[in-house]
Amino acid sequence: MVLNQKNILFCVCVGIFASLFKGTGYFFNMFSFYSPSGRNCSTMEKTGLSPLDPSSFSRPELAVVTEIFLNLSVNFDKKILIGNVDLSVKKIDENVNEIVLDSSKLNIASIYDAETNDKLEYNLSEAIAEYGSKLSVQLPKKDSNSYKIGIKYETSPDATGLQWLSPNATAGKKHPYLFSQFQPTHARSVLPCQDTPAVKTKYTATISAPQEYTVLMSAICNGSKELHGGKLSHFVQTVPMPSYLIAIAVGVLQSRKIGPRSHVWAEKEIIEDCAFEFAETEHQLKTAEEICGPYVWGIYDLLVLPPSFPYGGMENPCLTFVTPTLLAGDRSLANVVAHEIAHSWTGNLITNRNFEHFWLNEGFTVFVERKIKGRLESPQSQDFDAYTHVTELNETVNRIGKDSPLTQLVVNLKGVHPDDAFSIIPYEKGQTFLRYLENVVGGPENFEPFLRKYFDTFKYKSIETKDFQDFFNNYFNSNPDITLIDWKTWLYSPGMPPVIPDYDKSLAVICDNLIEKFLKWDGEGEIPLTIDDKKNLTTNQIIYFLQIISEAEAQPIKKLEMLNNVFGFNDIKNSEIKFRWLRVCIKARWEEKVHVALTWINIVGRMKFVRPLYRDLYQWEEIKQRTVDNFLANRHSMMHVSAYTLEKDLHVDA
Ligand code: BES
Ligand code: ZN
């Protein structure tokens, strides 16, 4: 470890932090890979993780990757990508002669100077679970500070950032399928890189795949051609972006044009449904541009993945990935697309420097997503979204623990993997904070110009919370009300936000009345809800209705049967409704619903649904073993992040 001022300061801070938390139990969990005997600079050295990004080994402050050139072939039989990557490197600190990269489970064949082909020495350190290995490469000896190094390698079949699907996990059932999910730290399992969002690079890629497959990436495709019975596709991403936004999908796909700069991609079995569901994409994009400024990424395509995709959506530039569980048939779940569109500014243009500041990505994105909704639908539905999520935030805070540091807006990820820290806290507490700030400075007419200036000032950069705070204080320095803002509590106190803004509740009140009627009903005689009540509710109101019922005390099965007679929940297609209905049924210990829930989560991999359902079933004593057995039988076909997080939720050994 090169000792500079920052490092020394960091080690002192770790020391102070360590003594504060000694003996709390939490501390040992936080620092699980630090030996209890010495949490100091030398242990930091042992883990090799960066003092600037606790989730990466790379040291871009010493030597930084400036461009990536990928050249890979897709091998479905072996479930590997094989080829090479060239990295342009710039030395920052004159005194270093190596570049430090992240890698995980990669089989490296050779590393060389890509300009001379001379071999380069390298060292691959022992892997640390979930973080991978530090890869240090000696830089070529030459006068200039710019280098190009080449790495010949292949991925492992269990690369954590890839999912290799067998044909039966696809809609067509005939061809295998490959997709990636790199956020937060899985790019390193597919290419050696500086896998920290502090580093932004352009990239190009040449991908070879069997002829009948379409290759898509988070970049502009500038052509594919036939070669030796296979197909070569070329991609270029000219906007610098973090490694977690590199993405690839390979499958037998079709596309439909859904706007002047958008196509939707999917397997042919669902392509028409997709074209219908996402027909409002261009409206959403235009509205986002009105709020945020020009869209710089050229195209905005959508890829609808097979159901095992672990997230609702992923903002891969030029090509948002989404789950097929958004296909409700009525465009009611398209807010996820608005969310991913908003990331084109918040996250993809302005990026969190490390995942401790993840709220700068997600809190801002939810805030902008709801502004899009406010403009496209109504201010009432914008507020309804915000208000209903307060309940979900509350549920999450209670589950994680209202004193847990993981409920802070800015978290400490030293020793905590970002996949373990993931929750809706940075999303909802983050958007609540922004809405609060907006109110303090006098509403959208003052805040939105600020937001534009913020985007313009920090675009193409990676920043941390203090950058935002300083910029805000500077911009509004003549506004006396900003002295009211308790930044420390908002950013660093655990638990619920200190202030919940006064949201418009007109859409919620209607539901609250029905909820009250239903909960008070003793189950005798007629159910106090009618088909007209159902007709008068929007999908989002029904979702809220069930959300509240699912958090209330367990209901008698008889009441739920009657509720189903009115609302038809047993046959519902909408995944958000189905999810909450199943939670209500499981809470009621409605035995025949166990099979329904397990069957669903064996197909659908979206963690937002799968994790709570698994946790609910696990808490049901009589069903616990069946739940665990179901997980064990299926975990091998899940993406790493789903299996990994569920192992912890269900207390199963890895
Ligand atoms: N970037 C996230 C997904 C993500 C976060 C993947 C962290 C891996 C690590 C994406 O933009 C997202 O937030 N998706 C949400 C959408 C929702 C909030 C509208 C989802 O997946 O549900
Ligand atoms: Zn997001």
Side-chain angles (χ1 to χ4, degrees):
M1 182 181 204
V2 181
L3 275 182
N4 56 29
Q5 256 180 336
K6 263 187 194 152
N7 287 340
I8 293 168
L9 186 68
F10 172 77
C11 291
V12 171
C13 291
V14 168
I16 294 170
F17 190 76
S19 44
L20 279 176
F21 279 86
K22 236 179 211 160
T24 60
Y26 177 72
F27 177 79
F28 291 100
N29 181 21
M30 284 268 295
F31 288 76
S32 50
F33 52 61
Y34 289 76
S35 79
S37 56
R39 297 167 203 108
N40 52 29
C41 292
S42 72
T43 30
M44 267 306 293
E45 212 167 325
K46 252 191 238 159
T47 72
L49 287 160
S50 160
L52 302 178
D53 181 342
S55 318
S56 170
F57 295 103
S58 69
R59 302 297 301 271
E61 73 280 21
L62 306 178
V64 66
V65 172
T66 56
E67 205 162 346
I68 296 173
F69 307 89
L70 272 170
N71 180 16
L72 294 170
S73 152
V74 182
N75 188 324
F76 277 112
D77 294 332
K78 292 188 178 162
K79 300 190 175 173
I80 59 167
L81 298 174
I82 178 163
N84 67 281
V85 62
D86 285 354
L87 302 174
S88 295
V89 172
K90 201 169 142 206
K91 193 194 273 191
I92 305 289
D93 183 331
E94 288 294 329
N95 301 319
V96 302
N97 50 16
E98 60 172 24
I99 172 110
V100 185
L101 304 171
D102 292 290
S103 72
S104 171
K105 306 182 187 203
L106 299 176
N107 293 315
I108 294 172
S110 65
I111 305 189
Y112 46 92
D113 180 337
E115 284 156 347
T116 62
N117 278 334
D118 291 345
K119 284 251 150 67
L120 296 174
E121 298 283 318
Y122 66 90
N123 181 57
L124 192 61
S125 66
E126 207 180 306
I128 297 181
E130 301 313 313
Y131 294 85
S133 310
K134 173 177 175 171
L135 173 59
S136 313
V137 181
Q138 289 296 313
L139 290 170
K141 293 191 178 37
K142 64 176 196 179
D143 288 339
S144 107
N145 278 341
S146 301
Y147 311 84
K148 196 167 190 180
I149 65 170
I151 303 174
K152 206 165 160 272
Y153 73 101
E154 61 185 55
T155 60
S156 132
D158 52 1
T160 57
L162 295 177
Q163 191 167 22
W164 297 87
L165 292 180
S166 57
N168 70 358
T170 67
K173 315 262 178 236
K174 285 207 189 80
H175 302 278
Y177 196 114
L178 164 68
F179 66 79
S180 67
Q181 171 56 46
F182 288 176
Q183 196 181 18
T185 59
H186 302 285
R188 67 192 67 175
S189 73
V190 176
L191 66 149
C193 60
Q194 292 190 311
D195 200 8
T196 166
V199 173
K200 291 187 165 186
T201 67
K202 300 172 178 179
Y203 81 88
T204 68
T206 303
I207 309 290
S208 143
Q211 182 64 47
E212 62 272 42
Y213 290 79
T214 298
V215 179
L216 298 174
M217 292 194 80
S218 54
I220 307 279
C221 178
N222 52 12
S224 23
K225 60 171 188 268
E226 231 179 280
L227 192 83
H228 312 310
K231 185 157 96 181
L232 268 191
S233 306
H234 297 281
F235 299 89
V236 52
Q237 178 51 265
T238 56
V239 183
M241 48 167 240
S243 54
Y244 76 78
L245 291 176
I246 299 175
I248 183 167
V250 187
V252 176
L253 302 173
Q254 291 209 350
S255 72
R256 292 285 179 276
K257 195 172 167 68
I258 53 168
R261 45 189 155 172
S262 303
H263 283 79
V264 62
W265 296 86
E267 287 186 82
K268 71 172 187 305
E269 289 76 9
I270 58 166
I271 191 73
E272 303 303 342
D273 290 349
C274 296
F276 173 84
E277 204 77 39
F278 304 120
E280 280 157 5
T281 300
E282 179 61 21
H283 284 140
Q284 295 172 317
L285 269 168
K286 281 222 183 80
T287 310
E289 284 186 296
E290 276 165 36
I291 299 163
C292 304
Y295 178 77
V296 306
W297 305 88
I299 62 169
Y300 182 84
D301 280 2
L302 285 163
L303 169 66
V304 184
L305 288 131
S308 61
F309 185 61
Y311 294 95
M314 177 64 211
E315 65 272 24
N316 298 315
C318 305
L319 180 72
T320 283
F321 283 21
V322 291
T323 165
T325 61
L326 302 188
L327 299 172
D330 60 3
R331 299 179 182 160
S332 57
L333 305 179
N335 73 296
V336 174
V337 175
H339 177 95
E340 306 312 334
I341 287 174
H343 271 305
S344 308
W345 292 266
T346 51
N348 298 5
L349 272 191
I350 304 181
T351 309
N352 51 210
R353 187 168 291 160
N354 63 45
F355 290 107
E356 298 186 324
H357 304 277
F358 188 48
W359 82 277
L360 292 176
N361 278 19
E362 297 300 344
F364 274 79
T365 300
V366 172
F367 185 68
V368 173
E369 167 202 334
R370 297 206 174 124
K371 280 188 178 289
I372 297 174
K373 185 163 205 161
R375 282 164 165 81
L376 284 177
E377 275 179 37
S378 66
Q380 287 77 7
S381 48
Q382 174 183 354
D383 271 24
F384 182 61
D385 256 18
Y387 176 68
T388 58
H389 279 84
V390 175
T391 329
E392 295 191 31
L393 177 60
N394 201 27
E395 195 202 356
T396 306
V397 167
N398 287 335
R399 181 175 52 78
I400 300 177
K402 63 181 181 10
D403 298 323
S404 164
L406 287 180
T407 62
Q408 291 168 206
L409 201 45
V410 180
V411 288
N412 183 333
L413 292 182
K414 286 168 201 77
V416 181
H417 194 275
D419 278 335
D420 292 317
F422 182 85
S423 77
I424 67 163
I425 306 277
Y427 290 74
E428 295 302 334
K429 201 173 185 178
Q431 92 83 33
T432 310
F433 185 36
L434 293 170
R435 178 68 178 253
Y436 166 77
L437 292 178
E438 183 172 73
N439 291 345
V440 168
V441 301
E445 64 188 62
N446 293 343
F447 198 71
E448 288 186 8
F450 157 76
L451 213 52
R452 286 282 279 263
K453 187 86 184 287
Y454 166 72
F455 293 152
D456 213 49
T457 305
F458 294 108
K459 64 187 174 193
Y460 309 119
K461 295 199 169 82
S462 301
I463 66 165
E464 53 190 45
T465 303
K466 193 169 181 313
D467 297 309
F468 165 69
Q469 185 179 350
D470 290 348
F471 187 76
F472 177 94
N473 283 330
N474 201 19
Y475 184 96
F476 289 111
N477 71 350
S478 59
N479 186 330
D481 295 338
I482 68 165
T483 53
L484 300 170
I485 303 164
D486 181 356
W487 289 84
K488 208 167 139 226
T489 302
W490 275 100
L491 299 175
Y492 302 107
S493 284
M496 286 298 278
V499 179
I500 302 292
D502 189 16
Y503 298 120
D504 179 293
K505 296 183 188 61
S506 49
L507 291 170
V509 168
I510 306 165
C511 311
D512 288 337
N513 286 336
L514 299 177
I515 292 164
E516 203 189 320
K517 269 199 225 166
F518 180 73
L519 291 179
K520 278 199 177 144
W521 175 47
D522 62 4
E524 296 304 323
E526 283 286 295
I527 180 170
L529 304 175
T530 68
I531 198 84
D532 282 337
D533 291 327
K534 181 198 167 188
K535 280 190 195 139
N536 292 333
L537 296 180
T538 64
T539 302
N540 278 315
Q541 286 176 312
I542 296 179
I543 292 170
Y544 171 66
F545 174 86
L546 282 178
Q547 175 71 28
I548 302 296
I549 307 274
S550 77
E551 285 166 21
E553 63 199 29
Q555 295 297 303
I557 295 172
K558 193 173 139 204
K559 274 178 78 178
L560 298 182
E561 280 171 335
M562 305 277 260
L563 187 63
N564 174 59
N565 290 343
V566 179
F567 284 84
F569 290 138
N570 281 344
D571 307 309
I572 207 85
K573 182 178 172 194
N574 185 297
S575 59
E576 295 282 351
I577 298 180
K578 180 169 181 153
F579 164 60
R580 288 171 182 82
W581 173 240
L582 286 171
R583 292 196 82 177
V584 171
C585 296
I586 293 167
K587 197 168 204 176
R589 302 295 185 244
W590 191 346
E591 204 136 357
E592 68 193 54
K593 295 297 174 192
V594 175
H595 175 71
V596 180
L598 289 177
T599 311
W600 194 48
I601 58 183
N602 286 342
I603 297 168
V604 166
R606 186 175 177 188
M607 289 194 286
K608 176 184 179 181
F609 302 149
V610 174
R611 291 184 68 185
L613 284 172
Y614 259 117
R615 285 197 295 253
D616 288 353
L617 289 167
Y618 185 81
Q619 276 167 18
W620 182 349
E621 247 353 283
E622 291 77 19
I623 301 296
K624 189 173 259 167
Q625 195 53 46
R626 185 170 161 200
T627 306
V628 171
D629 291 345
N630 183 79
F631 169 67
L632 294 175
N634 286 281
R635 71 167 156 182
H636 300 292
S637 52
M638 289 179 180
M639 198 163 190
H640 169 83
V641 63
S642 312
Y644 168 76
T645 47
L646 281 168
E647 273 157 14
K648 298 199 169 178
D649 292 345
L650 305 181
H651 309 101
V652 165
D653 287 338

